[in-house]
Amino acid sequence: MSKKAYDTLTETMFYVLMSLDREDMCGTQVAGYVKELTGGRVVMGPGTLYTILSNFQKEGLIDKVDAQGRKIVYTITEKGRSLYNEEINRLRACLTDAERGR
C-alpha cells in the first residue's frame, strides 16, 4: 500500500497502532486492550485484526519481535509511530475545527 492508503486511518487501524505504541503485543492482547480501553465500543474480529497486522507488517509499520507457536508479538516501527502521530495531529485538527464551528 502507498502512503496515500494511510492518509486517513480507519478507527481499527488507529487503535492497532495506539496499542503497539503503548507496548509490544500479540493480536489477542491488542484486541483485548482496545475493547477494554473503549469500553467495548470498538471490538475487532480476528479477520479485521489479522488483516491489519499483516498489511502493517508488509508496509513496515510494525515488525514481529517474537513468535511462540501461533502467538506472534509485534512492535511498532519508527515509520508506524510517525504515521500514528500524524493521525493524532489530524484528529486534533478535526476536533479543533468542530469546536470552532459550534
Side-chain angles (χ1 to χ4, degrees), residues 6-70:
Y6 295 120
D7 280 350
T8 302
L9 297 177
T10 65
E11 185 174 40
T12 51
M13 289 175 170
F14 179 75
Y15 278 107
V16 168
L17 290 179
M18 179 191 299
S19 301
L20 296 175
D21 188 55
R22 182 173 180 259
E23 67 182 73
D24 297 348
M25 296 183 186
C26 70
T28 303
Q29 291 170 309
V30 169
Y33 175 73
V34 171
K35 184 176 180 181
E36 181 181 329
L37 179 69
T38 64
R41 183 181 60 79
V42 177
V43 178
M44 285 185 264
T48 299
L49 176 60
Y50 289 100
T51 297
I52 291 170
L53 291 171
S54 176
N55 288 337
F56 278 3
Q57 190 177 6
K58 287 176 190 171
E59 291 299 316
L61 302 174
I62 63 173
D63 279 329
K64 288 182 188 179
V65 289
D66 190 27
Q68 297 174 4
R70 291 178 52 178

